[in-house]
Amino acid sequence: MKIYFSGSIRGGREDAEIYARLIAYLKQYGSVLTEHVGNSQLTPGGEDRFSKRAIHDRDLDWLLEADVVVAEATVPSLGVGYEIGRAVENGVPVLCLFRPSAGRQLSAMIAGSPNVFCVDYSTEEEACQAIARFLKKVK
């Protein structure tokens, strides 16, 4: 299984450690095409050696190659929203994880989409359980 993990990069890196642990968990189910999202050394401008177009095209190729998308959307990110939208548009199943305890609300455009499976979680264990249920369902 090819998994596209989506998490904030330019929108903020405060959840990078959570991303890394979720990616490590996802790796037991298949190949994570976007493992770099969990790299704590990646900064919002960390991919500036690539053009914006190159990043877009590379990531879109990975997204369209993926069997599923798992998005962690607690840190607001235009890129994560874009990736979710493109996945839905192309029929790629999407799991969107969100921690309401962070004092934020998930966009209604994502939470209200019938094509996005949204799960609120408080602990990483709950997130991993949601991932397991989602991947079993879409298999």
Side-chain angles (χ1 to χ4, degrees), residues 14-81:
E14 56 262 38
D15 282 353
E17 291 180 13
I18 294 171
Y19 301 161
R21 290 189 293 273
L22 292 176
I23 289 166
Y25 180 77
L26 284 165
K27 288 168 82 174
Q28 71 181 304
Y29 293 96
S31 171
V32 179
L33 302 172
T34 52
E35 192 171 341
H36 67 282
V37 176
N39 182 342
S40 63
Q41 303 303 311
L42 182 62
T43 61
E47 291 192 307
D48 284 348
R49 68 185 181 277
F50 302 111
S51 72
K52 290 174 180 71
R53 178 65 183 260
I55 292 168
H56 171 274
D57 293 351
R58 176 201 66 192
D59 289 5
L60 188 58
D61 285 346
W62 284 335
L63 183 103
L64 297 176
E65 179 184 338
D67 298 304
V68 297
V69 170
V70 175
E72 207 305 341
T74 303
V75 176
S77 167
L78 294 171
V80 172

Side-chain angles (χ1 to χ4, degrees), residues 8 12 31 33 57 69 72 77 89 93 95 99 115 119 121 123 128 132 138:
S8 176
S31 171
L33 302 172
D57 293 351
V69 170
E72 207 305 341
S77 167
E89 172 185 46
L95 170 63
R99 285 188 332 280
N115 298 313
V119 174
Y121 74 99
T123 66
C128 291
V138 299

Side-chain angles (χ1 to χ4, degrees), residues 4-7 59 63 69 78-88:
Y4 187 101
F5 181 84
S6 180
D59 289 5
L63 183 103
V69 170
L78 294 171
V80 172
Y82 178 81
E83 291 166 338
I84 290 170
R86 292 301 299 264
V88 168

